[in-house]
Amino acid sequence: MAPAADRKGYWGPTTSTLDWCEENYAVTWYIAEFWNTVSNLIMIIPPIFGAIQSIRDGLEKRYIASYLALTVVGMGSWCFHMTLKYEMQLLDELPMIYSCCIFVYCMFECFKAKNSVNYHLLFTLILFSLIVTTVYLKVKEPVFHQVMYGVLVFTLVVRSIYIVTWVYPWLRGLGYTSLGIFLLGFLFWNIDNIFCESLSLYTRTLYLRYRPKVKFLFGIWPVILFEPLRKH
């Protein structure tokens, strides 16, 4: 839940079913959640280069699709956090389901002959995506989306553990490091959701107490991030 000090901004009232902990329009009138928005660049720019490199290396289309799907998720998330509109929320959340389905397909087809197509798995994943989309548009319940997304992620994790344990054991370190980073991000995400009000109050108090020193040591960026909070 977003803090009570949220302001009005360029995109008008929030219509999304979710509003995150970052205060709305605290940095600029044109972006609802500034830091949640710009942080999506990591999901937009690198995957584009990955897709380009995949084309140059002659990799199969499913790998190119994976990179492009991740880019679409990043762009949708950018639009969602920038506007906090329900339509943009769908542009973020539904591609999360679709991209994970692409990842699942890649993970289960990574040992097959090049350029082969598993039509049974493809049909199953497309059907799953259609069902999730239809139900989610009907019920508009974020928990449903999170559970369906969790099912796909769990499938990816189990398949990845199998691959790095039994098929490519020399990738075990990379695989478990990636899993650890993912779980750490999931932990921080939950901490941010559960302790939003406490963290926001603590951050304001800490900043106001050490404001002169912070501004002297780190320049303008802490001021851009926290200065709007002084009025609240």
Side-chain angles (χ1 to χ4, degrees):
M1 179 179 294
D6 289 339
R7 304 157 184 75
K8 294 181 180 180
Y10 177 80
W11 301 101
T14 297
T15 59
S16 61
T17 59
L18 291 172
D19 193 352
W20 305 101
C21 187
E22 182 179 351
E23 292 197 51
N24 299 340
Y25 299 103
V27 176
T28 171
W29 190 63
Y30 295 99
I31 299 178
E33 297 175 343
F34 182 83
W35 300 105
N36 278 343
T37 299
V38 298
S39 61
N40 283 289
L41 288 174
I42 197 66
M43 285 201 303
I44 298 176
I45 298 178
I48 292 177
F49 286 100
I52 294 173
Q53 190 61 46
S54 296
I55 296 174
R56 290 175 177 175
D57 293 340
L59 298 181
E60 296 174 66
K61 293 181 180 179
R62 61 175 179 254
Y63 298 112
I64 301 172
S66 296
Y67 281 114
L68 294 180
L70 192 56
T71 298
V72 171
V73 173
M75 295 173 64
S77 183
W78 176 290
C79 294
F80 171 33
H81 291 290
M82 180 175 68
T83 65
L84 289 180
K85 293 296 184 180
Y86 176 68
E87 296 79 8
M88 298 299 104
Q89 179 181 352
L90 294 178
L91 189 62
D92 171 26
E93 293 178 333
L94 292 180
M96 289 172 63
I97 299 294
Y98 308 151
S99 62
C100 266
C101 285
I102 296 176
F103 301 155
V104 168
Y105 182 85
C106 289
M107 293 296 289
F108 279 88
E109 289 295 291
C110 59
F111 307 125
K112 301 297 180 66
K114 188 175 182 180
N115 295 323
S116 64
V117 179
N118 187 336
Y119 290 102
H120 296 291
L121 178 59
L122 192 62
F123 174 79
T124 301
L125 292 172
I126 291 175
L127 181 61
F128 177 84
S129 298
L130 290 175
I131 293 175
V132 171
T133 300
T134 303
V135 174
Y136 190 46
L137 291 176
K138 183 70 175 178
V139 302
K140 298 182 179 180
E141 175 54 61
V143 175
F144 171 77
H145 169 268
Q146 292 166 6
V147 170
M148 294 299 100
Y149 178 70
V151 168
L152 292 171
V153 171
F154 178 78
T155 303
L156 287 171
V157 169
V158 171
R159 180 64 173 174
S160 300
I161 292 176
Y162 166 76
I163 291 174
V164 300
T165 301
W166 302 104
V167 184
Y168 299 133
W170 55 89
L171 294 176
R172 191 174 302 169
L174 176 62
Y176 287 125
T177 299
S178 301
L179 178 60
I181 293 174
F182 176 82
L183 293 176
L184 184 63
F186 181 67
L187 174 64
F188 287 150
W189 180 76
N190 278 284
I191 291 175
D192 187 61
N193 286 331
I194 297 172
F195 302 104
C196 174
E197 294 185 5
S198 300
L199 290 174
S200 297
L201 179 60
Y202 176 75
T203 301
R204 294 178 202 173
T205 303
L206 194 64
Y207 171 71
L208 293 176
R209 179 179 299 176
Y210 298 104
R211 178 172 172 266
K213 295 181 180 179
V214 169
K215 187 174 182 181
F216 174 77
L217 292 174
F218 299 102
I220 192 64
W221 286 108
V223 177
I224 293 176
L225 176 58
F226 294 115
E227 190 65 16
L229 305 180
R230 293 183 64 225
K231 300 178 182 179
H232 304 276

